[in-house]
């Protein structure tokens, strides 16, 4: 079970967060085994028939925190695979708005705990506006499972650490599978394309496992980040969505002000924050955007930033700009978030350990945020 830790009872790991990070290959395997039939068909058991799925004109994803970040990744794949517009809304904002929800909108509420007050209120508002709703949750018998019209369970198992890790990965793979089921129902992907994606999904548990074998390597950049009080995460498109999750993990576990920026946007002001030695974590997993991201990396490097880079395929134009570089296994660009988030989860974990914070029970935080 990886990197010098044997067995998987909590006592084998110093913290639930590390235990839950290490469980992710199994979580992916079980989710895929539950959802892919022997003839490579995706059956998620949403309770929604393909005819109904084919009839929707818009998807609305509502969620908070890490679940919201999963929704941002889901949007990219579902729009590409199923050619349906996807809006992703912060449930804590959505619930107090006057949303215009058109007919034929399917609302997907994502919540690990199934008890987050903001997400429940947003779900009720969407339903009151006439939208069908599906909940993606990790908690059987939670309130959201009783209120949503359909439910998709993530199979992450109980998540104890406040900082969500394995539930996020389970949400990502579930959204990918939902995108494939939608694409089949809407006939926007052919059998060959679907099976190419299914093959790539089925390779992910092994690829995540090989990344976890190198977990201790993240102690080096963590030591650099732990010495400071700020760190900036940069990425374009899907990488920006993952950068948001990476910076949240760092904030909530190590109390360091991690901030994520869309790499192109960074030059329109925030780059003024760059000083000698300030850590910048740059994600470049999208082949079509890597060159554009390396251009921004050059700019922050020339201003003295200390750069940690994450990119697949030994991309020299990226690795040559980095003080610390991690080479990711190759996968379909759409699925790169599943691999790219692993070093960011470990970076947050080892930074928190270096700063001696309460890793599993960070100050001011609870696992499920209720209304006051
Ligand atoms: C993530 O690490 C945090 N614990 C928090 O942002 C969390 O994702 C958010 O509160 C949503 O929780 P839920 O998925 O249980 O609804």
């Amino acid at each position: 079970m990886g990197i010098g830790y044997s067995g998987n009872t909590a006592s084998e790991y110093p913290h639930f967060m590390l235990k839950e990070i290490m469980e992710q290959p199994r979580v992916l395997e079980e989710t895929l085994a539950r959802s892919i039939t022997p003839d490579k068909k995706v059956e998620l058991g949403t309770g929604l028939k393909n005819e109904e799925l084919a009839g929707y004109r818009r998807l609305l994803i509502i969620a908070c925190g890490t679940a919201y970040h999963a929704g941002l990744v889901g949007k990219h794949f579902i729009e590409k695979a199923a050619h349906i517009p996807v809006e992703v809304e912060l449930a804590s904002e959505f619930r107090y708005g006057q949303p215009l929800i058109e007919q034929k909108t399917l609302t997907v509420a994502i919540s690990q705990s199934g008890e987050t007050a903001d997400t429940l209120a947003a779900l009720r508002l969407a339903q009151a506006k006439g939208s069908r709703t599906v909940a993606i949750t990790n908690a059987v018998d939670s309130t959201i499972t009783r209120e949503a019209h359909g439910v998709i369970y993530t199979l992450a198992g109980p998540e104890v650490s406040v900082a969500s890790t394995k539930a996020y990965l389970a949400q990502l793979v579930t959204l990918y599978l939902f995108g494939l089921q939608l694409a089949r129902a809407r006939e926007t992907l052919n059998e060959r394309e679907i099976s190419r994606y299914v093959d790539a999904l089925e390779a992910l548990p092994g690829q995540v496992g090989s990344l976890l074998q190198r977990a201790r390597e993240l102690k080096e950049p963590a030591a650099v980040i732990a010495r400071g009080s700020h760190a900036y995460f940069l990425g374009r498109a899907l990488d920006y969505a993952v950068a948001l999750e990476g910076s949240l993990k760092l904030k909530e576990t190590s109390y360091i002000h991690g901030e994520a920026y869309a790499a192109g946007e960074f030059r329109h002001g925030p780059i003024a924050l760059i000083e000698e030695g300030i850590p910048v974590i740059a994600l470049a997993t999208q082949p079509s955007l890597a060159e554009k991201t390396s251009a921004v990396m050059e700019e922050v490097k020339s201003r003295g930033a200390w750069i940690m880079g994450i990119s697949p395929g030994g991309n020299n134009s990226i690795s040559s700009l980095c003080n610390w570089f991690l080479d990711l296994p190759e996968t379909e660009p759409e699925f790169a978030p599943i691999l790219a988030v692993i070093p960011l989860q470990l970076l947050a974990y080892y930074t928190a350990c270096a700063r001696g914070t309460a890793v599993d029970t960070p100050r001011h935080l609870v696992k499920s945020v209720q209304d006051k």
Side-chain angles (χ1 to χ4, degrees), residues 63-68 110-116 119 161-165 171 245 248-249 252 365-369:
C64 298
T66 286
Y68 169 78
I110 311 176
S111 176
Q112 188 283 131
S113 63
E115 301 296 348
T116 297
T119 307
S161 180
V162 168
S164 181
T165 53
Q171 288 159 1
E245 178 54 15
L248 174 61
K249 290 281 101 60
E252 64 181 329
L365 291 179
V366 291
K367 186 64 183 166
S368 180
V369 181

Side-chain angles (χ1 to χ4, degrees), residues 88-348:
V88 188
E89 296 274 353
L90 283 168
S92 51
E93 289 290 303
F94 182 88
R95 65 178 290 188
Y96 297 116
Q98 300 298 332
L100 301 174
I101 298 187
E102 62 176 75
Q103 278 301 320
K104 295 284 172 210
T105 295
L106 177 64
T107 297
V108 177
I110 311 176
S111 176
Q112 188 283 131
S113 63
E115 301 296 348
T116 297
D118 287 326
T119 307
L120 289 170
L123 175 108
R124 292 171 189 139
L125 179 56
Q127 283 184 179
K129 299 260 179 190
S131 178
R132 289 274 283 169
T133 59
V134 171
I136 295 180
T137 187
N138 197 44
V140 177
D141 261 351
S142 57
T143 304
I144 208 166
T145 64
R146 292 190 291 278
E147 300 202 10
H149 297 126
V151 179
I152 305 173
Y153 288 104
T154 52
L155 300 182
E159 191 174 63
V160 177
S161 180
V162 168
S164 181
T165 53
K166 62 177 182 173
Y168 170 76
L169 222 70
Q171 288 159 1
L172 290 192
V173 72
T174 300
L175 287 162
Y176 290 142
L177 292 162
F178 189 50
L180 290 176
Q181 186 162 358
L182 270 172
R184 177 183 296 284
R186 300 164 62 82
E187 295 169 0
T188 50
L189 288 178
N190 61 34
E191 291 313 320
R192 197 173 36 75
E193 290 165 324
I194 289 181
S195 76
R196 191 188 86 231
Y197 278 128
V198 167
D199 290 347
L201 286 174
E202 290 180 331
L204 288 170
Q207 294 177 313
V208 168
S210 67
L211 274 173
L212 290 173
Q213 289 293 327
R214 304 171 55 188
R216 287 175 189 271
E217 295 175 28
L218 272 298
K219 284 189 170 192
E220 190 190 333
V224 173
I225 291 169
R227 286 197 291 270
S229 45
H230 301 280
Y232 302 110
F233 294 72
L234 300 182
R236 291 180 185 269
L238 267 177
D239 288 331
Y240 174 47
V242 179
L244 285 164
E245 178 54 15
S247 73
L248 174 61
K249 290 281 101 60
L250 188 70
K251 277 186 273 234
E252 64 181 329
T253 55
S254 71
Y255 314 151
I256 285 178
H257 172 223
E259 200 66 47
Y261 290 95
E265 197 52 25
F266 200 63
R267 304 159 78 193
H268 298 279
I271 196 167
L273 296 164
I274 297 297
E275 292 164 356
E276 191 60 35
I278 201 139
V280 169
I281 295 96
L283 295 167
T285 70
Q286 305 299 302
S288 60
L289 297 169
E291 200 193 319
K292 292 291 177 206
T293 300
S294 68
V296 179
M297 290 170 70
E298 267 166 28
E299 287 207 37
V300 295
K301 187 170 186 61
S302 66
R303 270 91 181 180
W306 180 93
I307 301 182
M308 168 180 168
I310 295 173
S311 180
N315 184 330
N316 198 39
S317 72
I318 299 285
S319 58
S320 60
L321 292 165
C322 299
N323 301 84
W324 194 90
F325 178 72
L326 184 99
D327 187 10
L328 285 181
E330 296 276 359
T331 184
E332 294 288 337
E334 297 91 338
F335 299 157
I338 292 237
L339 300 175
V341 77
I342 302 296
L344 300 182
Q345 293 171 340
L346 291 163
L347 184 72

Side-chain angles (χ1 to χ4, degrees), residues 1-7 12-13 213 216:
M1 173 44 95
I3 63 149
Y5 297 100
S6 59
E12 297 295 333
Y13 294 98
Q213 289 293 327
R216 287 175 189 271

Side-chain angles (χ1 to χ4, degrees), residues 68-86:
Y68 169 78
H69 296 154
L72 293 175
V73 172
K75 168 185 168 68
H76 281 267
F77 182 68
I78 294 172
E79 288 190 337
K80 176 161 186 191
H83 303 179
I84 183 170
V86 179

